[in-house]
Amino acid sequence: MPKRGKKYQESAKLVDRSNLYDVNEALDLVTKTAKANFDETVELAVRLGVDPRHADQQVRGTVVLPNGTGKEVKVLVLAKGEKIKEAEAAGADFAGGEELVEKIQNENWFGFDVMIATPDMMGVVGKIGRVLGPKGLMPNPKSGTVTFDVEQAVKEVKAGKVEYRVDKAAIINVPIGKVSFGADKLAENFKTIADAIIKAKPASAKGRYLKSVTVSSTMGPGIRVNGSKLIEK
């Protein structure tokens, strides 16, 4: 096991690893254990009692965090005609048609964080599906990134829309903001995403749904949250 740095070891002393903290207490600790010389991202990790190998136990969705993510998100919209102007007016960083697909295809250009496409552009998007997929950039109706309502889609992403999705190990990892937000704003974001994950519980999931809930900053130690209290409320 690699040796941890001095700052991490100092932060770890503040955390009782055997304790399950209340949300506000845990997030207050996150802000205290973040010792890096940059504004660290705060991550939420939830291990679920589901089997992702079964289609009926997939947990996936999107939610707009009330306080945003603290990250400037560059949005690319693929559309036609008036929808391009609509995207630009809504604040898209890049908007266009096949010429942008060719730029990605020929120049290996990925100067954006989220791609939104109108349904009539998905045939063209399919040409670059192999390069978009591994980067998590492929537009998808379930995440709201395939839509004719490009204005709403762009505004939601810019406002702090995040996608949560269970991985093969039955874990969801999602950012909930920056350390500079402070515990109160982080708690609001946490509760918004936690509520969404709880509501998304598959009917076929048996036993305990929230097996573990942990929050941490980019360079800080994991802090365990009492998941039972989240279900009870």
Side-chain angles (χ1 to χ4, degrees):
M1 187 175 177
K3 187 178 179 181
R4 297 287 192 176
K6 187 177 179 181
K7 287 183 179 179
Y8 180 94
Q9 290 179 28
E10 289 174 356
S11 295
K13 290 176 184 177
L14 300 173
V15 181
D16 181 354
R17 300 184 76 88
S18 65
N19 189 36
L20 293 177
Y21 293 91
D22 288 340
V23 174
N24 292 72
E25 196 178 8
L27 291 167
D28 187 48
L29 257 180
V30 165
T31 63
K32 291 176 179 175
T33 55
K35 305 286 188 182
N37 57 1
F38 62 91
D39 194 6
E40 298 178 51
T41 296
V42 179
E43 294 271 348
L44 167 64
V46 184
R47 186 162 66 91
L48 298 177
V50 298
D51 187 345
R53 293 174 299 177
H54 299 297
D56 63 351
Q57 292 197 36
Q58 289 291 319
V59 179
R60 179 180 186 177
T62 59
V63 66
V64 178
L65 300 179
N67 299 300
T69 62
K71 177 186 176 184
E72 183 184 349
V73 181
K74 291 193 178 295
V75 179
L76 178 150
V77 175
L78 293 176
K80 297 178 181 179
E82 290 299 313
K83 289 295 176 182
I84 294 176
K85 293 179 181 178
E86 183 182 319
E88 291 172 339
D93 298 276
F94 311 98
E98 291 193 36
E99 74 281 2
L100 290 177
V101 173
E102 290 173 4
K103 185 178 175 68
I104 295 168
Q105 198 169 29
N106 301 329
E107 300 176 26
N108 199 33
W109 172 72
F110 292 99
F112 55 94
D113 303 298
V114 176
M115 177 185 284
I116 295 167
T118 51
D120 56 355
M121 288 297 292
M122 288 306 292
V124 179
V125 175
K127 295 178 183 178
I128 51 173
R130 287 185 178 181
V131 294
L132 294 176
K135 294 180 180 291
L137 294 171
M138 188 69 180
N140 189 298
K142 291 183 179 179
S143 63
T145 48
V146 177
T147 176
F148 278 117
D149 191 355
V150 293
E151 179 183 5
Q152 180 71 11
V154 171
K155 287 182 176 178
E156 285 184 347
V157 171
K158 289 287 187 179
K161 183 179 183 179
V162 294
E163 181 178 9
Y164 59 89
R165 185 177 185 178
V166 69
D167 64 16
K168 292 179 181 178
I171 295 172
I172 288 176
N173 287 288
V174 64
I176 59 170
K178 297 284 187 178
V179 168
S180 61
F181 283 18
D184 290 344
K185 286 187 176 180
L186 287 170
E188 289 177 2
N189 281 357
F190 175 102
K191 288 168 182 173
T192 298
I193 188 73
D195 286 349
I197 292 171
I198 291 167
K199 287 177 183 175
K201 178 183 178 180
S204 57
K206 306 299 180 186
R208 190 150 61 103
Y209 182 52
L210 300 183
K211 288 200 165 183
S212 70
V213 181
T214 306
V215 290
S216 64
S217 62
T218 305
M219 306 295 287
I223 300 163
R224 298 167 67 210
V225 176
N226 191 335
S228 298
K229 288 192 175 181
L230 301 176
I231 295 284
E232 288 170 6
K233 68 185 184 68

